[in-house]
Amino acid sequence: GRRSRIIKVLHHHRPDITLTGSFPLADPDWLSAADFVRKLPQALQVTDLVLTTLCKSRQYLQIDRLLKHWKGIGLFVVNPNFYHPFLQLSEAAEVHLEKLRAVRNALPYVEDRAIYDLAARLIRPKSNLQEECFMLTELYARMGRQYFDHINRSAVERIIIEGGIADGWVTMQLLGSFPKSTVYGFDPDSELFQKSYHRQFLQESGRFHYSPLGLWEKRDRRPFAVGKACSSYIAGEAVAAAQGNIDTISIDEFVTCNNMLKVDFIKLDIEGSELSALRGAKHTISKHRPQLAVCLYHRLEHYYEIPSLLFECAPDYIFRIGHYSPFHVFSETVMYAIPRELYNFHQF
């Protein structure tokens, strides 16, 4: 991923440069950042551009400080953790930007708009990321607890629907944080759950029910791609990536078929299927008014499509944004939706 992104971004900024043959990259296993910084002054004698993929702010700033003493040398950063796969090199960036800004302006709290401000600055390539590094550090400084921020915990007393239980680590936290509740967990990667260290405790708790179904907008059979731990996903259009098929169900159908009287909380971290799952939960959201924690970061479009859907189907809700990665801009971003009658800014 880094190699191809470097080539794309370099060509975007410097179309006059032609890359031929192989494009070797320094392997961090044998060339540490500290070693690179130590050797940099000697290398700069024959250098007019430093190209780096360093992902840690302090390493980037080290090099940036060194280069200030060398006139005429540029620092070109292709940071895969900042840019992620969402980097836009065409006119499509303007379409995404317009929609991101619309959601940003609709968010009620200034501090929640910051992640959208940062995303807007980084959706297109930049060669100086110093200010963005500082902005991300500020976001990290106020980072709370993923999936639990802003939630009115006293109001979660009955049913929790958890999309994406993976190995059950977050499920354990849900049971501990909401001692009166029962968790209905969904994850089609049943092999991962069966090997989980937490499985026996969860199954013996009496407050957890596991379903090897995928959450989707309707009952269906969908192509499924099995990835490394916690990254398997419904393949959607990328059918070529699929290694099998799984059965899916909508939250609305599951709630109706099981005669659930009150759903208090829905958490969705399902590797890109969040929007489809929400489309299949509109009736539950309208009738039960659950609190929601929904991941936005698996697709660039979800940063505006998911908020737009929630603005429409949950009009009397308070919306908040949480960001939980100190290194990645487009990663671990969660949207919270809390019924207005349950939300108290000063309480949380």
Side-chain angles (χ1 to χ4, degrees):
R2 292 187 184 195
R3 185 187 304 271
S4 63
R5 234 164 289 160
I6 288 173
I7 294 172
K8 287 179 182 178
V9 176
L10 187 59
H11 179 72
H12 177 78
H13 276 294
R14 293 293 301 273
D16 57 305
I17 296 177
T18 302
L19 298 172
T20 58
S22 62
F23 193 0
L25 297 180
D27 187 337
D29 290 337
W30 61 264
L31 181 60
S32 69
D35 189 40
F36 173 72
V37 170
R38 182 172 56 81
K39 294 178 179 177
L40 187 60
Q42 181 180 355
L44 290 178
Q45 295 176 20
V46 291
T47 300
D48 63 359
L49 183 71
V50 174
L51 181 66
T52 174
T53 64
L54 292 175
C55 61
K56 294 183 179 178
S57 301
R58 67 176 184 275
Q59 295 172 349
Y60 165 73
L61 294 174
Q62 260 186 304
I63 296 175
D64 187 54
R65 282 194 294 269
L66 276 171
L67 289 179
K68 291 186 186 303
H69 302 291
W70 297 80
K71 302 294 184 183
I73 296 178
L75 174 61
F76 190 90
V77 180
V78 184
N79 188 322
N81 291 326
F82 268 92
Y83 289 135
H84 213 255
F86 301 153
L87 180 67
Q88 301 293 311
L89 299 175
S90 69
E91 60 275 5
E94 297 305 319
V95 177
H96 292 300
L97 276 170
E98 182 179 353
K99 295 178 179 180
L100 286 169
R101 286 168 179 155
V103 170
R104 182 258 185 216
N105 293 335
L107 293 171
Y109 292 99
V110 173
E111 56 265 36
D112 295 343
R113 299 172 192 161
I115 185 61
Y116 278 84
D117 291 335
L118 195 50
R121 295 169 69 110
L122 290 168
I123 196 170
R124 291 175 293 199
K126 293 184 65 178
S127 58
N128 188 333
L129 297 175
Q130 182 169 332
E131 189 171 348
E132 286 73 18
C133 281
F134 289 134
M135 291 175 67
L136 186 58
T137 301
E138 289 179 4
L139 280 175
Y140 177 53
R142 61 174 182 259
M143 187 171 71
R145 187 178 176 194
Q146 191 168 6
Y147 314 120
F148 295 86
D149 269 358
H150 310 296
I151 297 300
N152 186 332
R153 300 189 186 191
S154 65
V156 183
E157 298 184 320
R158 283 153 291 197
I159 292 172
I160 297 172
I161 292 178
E162 182 185 12
I165 64 170
D167 64 354
W169 168 233
V170 175
T171 315
M172 295 277 287
Q173 297 177 55
L174 290 170
L175 291 180
S177 298
F178 309 115
K180 297 180 181 179
S181 64
T182 298
V183 175
Y184 290 83
F186 294 81
D187 202 310
D189 191 352
S190 56
E191 184 177 347
L192 175 62
F193 177 67
Q194 293 302 323
K195 294 178 179 178
S196 169
Y197 175 81
H198 311 292
R199 178 180 61 83
Q200 184 176 354
F201 173 85
L202 290 171
Q203 291 180 331
E204 294 177 357
S205 69
R207 297 195 292 123
F208 172 73
H209 302 276
Y210 169 65
S211 177
L213 298 173
L215 290 179
W216 195 249
E217 53 191 283
K218 62 181 180 180
R219 188 181 288 274
D220 202 353
R221 188 157 179 81
R222 305 290 303 178
F224 190 65
V226 179
K228 58 186 179 182
C230 307
S231 65
S232 300
Y233 61 97
I234 294 176
E237 302 82 14
V239 179
Q243 296 153 339
N245 293 286
I246 60 162
D247 293 316
T248 65
I249 193 169
S250 73
I251 291 175
D252 284 345
E253 183 174 357
F254 181 80
V255 169
T256 301
C257 289
N258 288 277
N259 298 312
M260 293 179 171
L261 298 178
K262 186 67 171 74
V263 177
D264 290 327
F265 183 37
I266 298 174
K267 168 248 173 184
L268 296 176
D269 187 349
I270 47 179
E271 305 303 314
S273 297
E274 291 84 1
L275 184 64
S276 294
L278 286 172
R279 286 172 177 155
K282 287 184 177 181
H283 178 72
T284 301
I285 293 171
S286 175
K287 179 181 178 181
H288 295 249
R289 293 182 64 77
Q291 300 182 78
L292 300 153
V294 183
C295 289
L296 302 179
Y297 63 91
H298 295 111
R299 298 172 185 261
L300 174 57
E301 300 81 29
H302 284 184
Y303 277 86
Y304 49 82
E305 290 179 346
I306 288 175
S308 297
L309 178 64
L310 289 176
F311 292 161
E312 174 191 340
C313 70
D316 198 26
Y317 271 58
I318 299 295
F319 300 99
R320 301 300 307 264
I321 301 292
H323 185 71
Y324 303 95
S325 173
F327 304 122
H328 303 247
V329 171
F330 294 106
S331 184
E332 307 303 331
T333 307
V334 178
M335 185 169 196
Y336 298 92
I338 303 97
R340 188 175 296 275
E341 68 271 15
L342 299 180
Y343 187 82
N344 184 332
F345 177 81
H346 299 290
Q347 183 178 348
F348 308 115

